[in-house]
Amino acid sequence: MSEQPAPARIDGTRSEVPASPLPVGLAEALKRDSAGLVAAIVQQYDTNEVLMLGWMDDEALHRTMTSGRVTFYSRSRQEYWRKGDTSGHVQWVKSLAMDCDGDALLVRVDQVGAACHTGTRTCFDGRDLDVVVS
């Protein structure tokens, strides 16, 4: 597979980011891990309940931004998956934000059904750890 040159910006210079379906400014601002992925924290938009954590590459983020449904990249299966396609537990996108460092995304959704593959509302239900609280 040959490498594509980085997209040209309006000023004619080349970006350091490889070709991406994302707007150039966003593609440049994202800080991906060595596999090209960024963490996506999923939160219920009206209750602020943290539902789950998934991973997105540029294509998954682009699909999420343009379809109104959340798409992740599965690290174990090495493929895209759109939440709810097999379970019916759809995540409808309400908003999307990038953190100050560009290394995490906050996807606010309207969750239909369980968010966790175990069938619980969130991936954090019943999984509290003992900690010292101040």
Side-chain angles (χ1 to χ4, degrees), residues 25-100:
L26 175 56
E28 290 175 343
L30 279 177
K31 291 184 182 144
R32 302 158 193 82
D33 68 9
S34 60
L37 302 173
V38 62
I41 302 159
V42 182
Q43 180 181 44
Q44 176 65 31
Y45 83 102
D46 54 354
T47 65
N48 294 329
E49 180 180 31
V50 176
L51 301 172
M52 61 176 288
L53 172 78
W55 296 93
M56 293 183 180
D57 65 2
D58 288 19
E59 180 61 29
L61 179 55
H62 172 73
R63 291 179 188 189
T64 298
M65 293 174 70
T66 59
S67 72
R69 297 260 314 269
V70 181
T71 298
F72 298 103
Y73 185 79
S74 170
R75 297 178 300 168
S76 58
R77 294 187 311 264
Q78 304 234 330
E79 65 185 17
Y80 297 103
W81 60 282
R82 190 167 69 168
K83 187 70 172 169
D85 278 354
T86 56
S87 67
H89 299 163
V90 176
Q91 292 176 337
W92 297 105
V93 177
K94 294 296 185 179
S95 67
L96 184 60
M98 180 173 54
D99 79 339
C100 59

Side-chain angles (χ1 to χ4, degrees), residues 1-30:
M1 182 167 124
S2 63
E3 286 193 24
Q4 298 276 340
R9 294 189 285 210
I10 292 174
D11 65 6
T13 62
R14 294 277 173 193
S15 160
E16 296 297 318
V17 176
S20 168
L22 299 174
V24 173
L26 175 56
E28 290 175 343
L30 279 177

